[in-house]
Amino acid sequence: IDDVFDLLRLRVKPLAAYQYPWWQPALLLTALGLIASGDTAELGSNIAGRIGYMVLFTWLETLFFTRFIGFWLRLAKGEATGSLFGLVVVASGLQFIEPLTSWLPEDVSSGADMLLSMAGLVVLVNALSKVSGVSKLRVLAGVVLFAPLALVLLAATLSLANALGWVDLPADMVAMMHEKGAASSGAAAVAK
């Protein structure tokens, strides 16, 4: 908890300070997934399925991001020696207060969500920059490059969760996926 507050104040320790026993970031990451599942009512009435999906997605996204950003920082000759997993999980701690924005009026809530997302990005970029010695701009570029990969991961895991019956995708999302699939099939047929 102290490390979360330090990172929120943009105070970053050496990377070795974020090498926690495995169960601590695992517990925090699972809690983040549970919290995120509270905002998934549009994914159907299977509450256990939605919770399971969000916990799984939170874990996968964090693991993939950690590997990707580690690779990105090594390309930039970063000095990070050790696992970035604990730091990435702790830097995500701001997500704990995101559900509180649902109590606000809808206009204010969306603005508050955007501000929290921006603040979370600042905290993450600052922390990764300080522990690796890589410029903030270079770290931000890596985070931005990961965004399309995160969207692909989201689409793939949503599709799988829908097939397993964990979630029910909204009709407009299913129609959009079918359109994209038909468009890519048509493009592949034209290419032949």
Side-chain angles (χ1 to χ4, degrees):
I1 300 294
D2 291 338
D3 289 340
V4 171
F5 288 123
D6 280 345
L7 290 177
L8 289 175
R9 291 182 290 189
L10 303 179
R11 297 179 186 164
V12 183
K13 300 173 186 171
L15 185 58
Y18 302 103
Q19 306 304 309
Y20 306 107
W22 69 269
W23 63 270
Q24 289 176 344
L27 184 63
L28 182 61
L29 198 55
T30 302
L32 288 172
L34 288 170
I35 288 169
S37 71
D39 193 25
T40 58
E42 70 277 359
L43 295 180
S45 58
N46 182 351
I47 295 173
R50 290 183 353 221
I51 290 171
Y53 168 72
M54 285 309 299
V55 169
L56 177 65
F57 177 73
T58 302
W59 268 91
L60 288 174
E61 183 184 36
T62 303
L63 289 171
F64 285 145
F65 175 75
T66 302
R67 300 293 273 172
F68 177 84
I69 204 69
F71 171 73
W72 181 257
L73 294 175
R74 280 191 302 278
L75 283 179
K77 308 287 190 260
E79 302 164 6
T81 55
S83 173
L84 295 170
F85 181 71
L87 176 63
V88 170
V89 172
V90 171
S92 302
L94 194 58
Q95 293 175 8
F96 273 111
I97 62 172
E98 279 186 23
L100 298 177
T101 63
S102 65
W103 297 348
L104 301 170
E106 191 172 333
D107 297 349
V108 178
S109 175
S110 59
D113 284 340
M114 182 183 287
L115 285 174
L116 284 174
S117 295
M118 297 301 289
L121 181 64
V122 167
V123 167
L124 180 65
V125 168
N126 180 62
L128 290 170
S129 175
K130 294 269 175 81
V131 299
S132 67
V134 174
S135 74
K136 289 178 178 64
L137 189 58
R138 179 83 181 221
V139 173
L140 179 61
V143 172
V144 170
L145 283 175
F146 180 74
L149 299 174
L151 288 175
V152 169
L153 179 65
L154 177 65
T157 56
L158 266 177
S159 182
L160 178 63
N162 186 48
L164 293 173
W166 291 9
V167 299
D168 298 317
L169 296 180
D172 58 339
M173 186 182 292
V174 172
M176 182 181 71
M177 291 171 86
H178 285 300
E179 281 179 23
K180 298 255 185 213
S184 63
S185 307
V190 169
K192 290 179 181 179

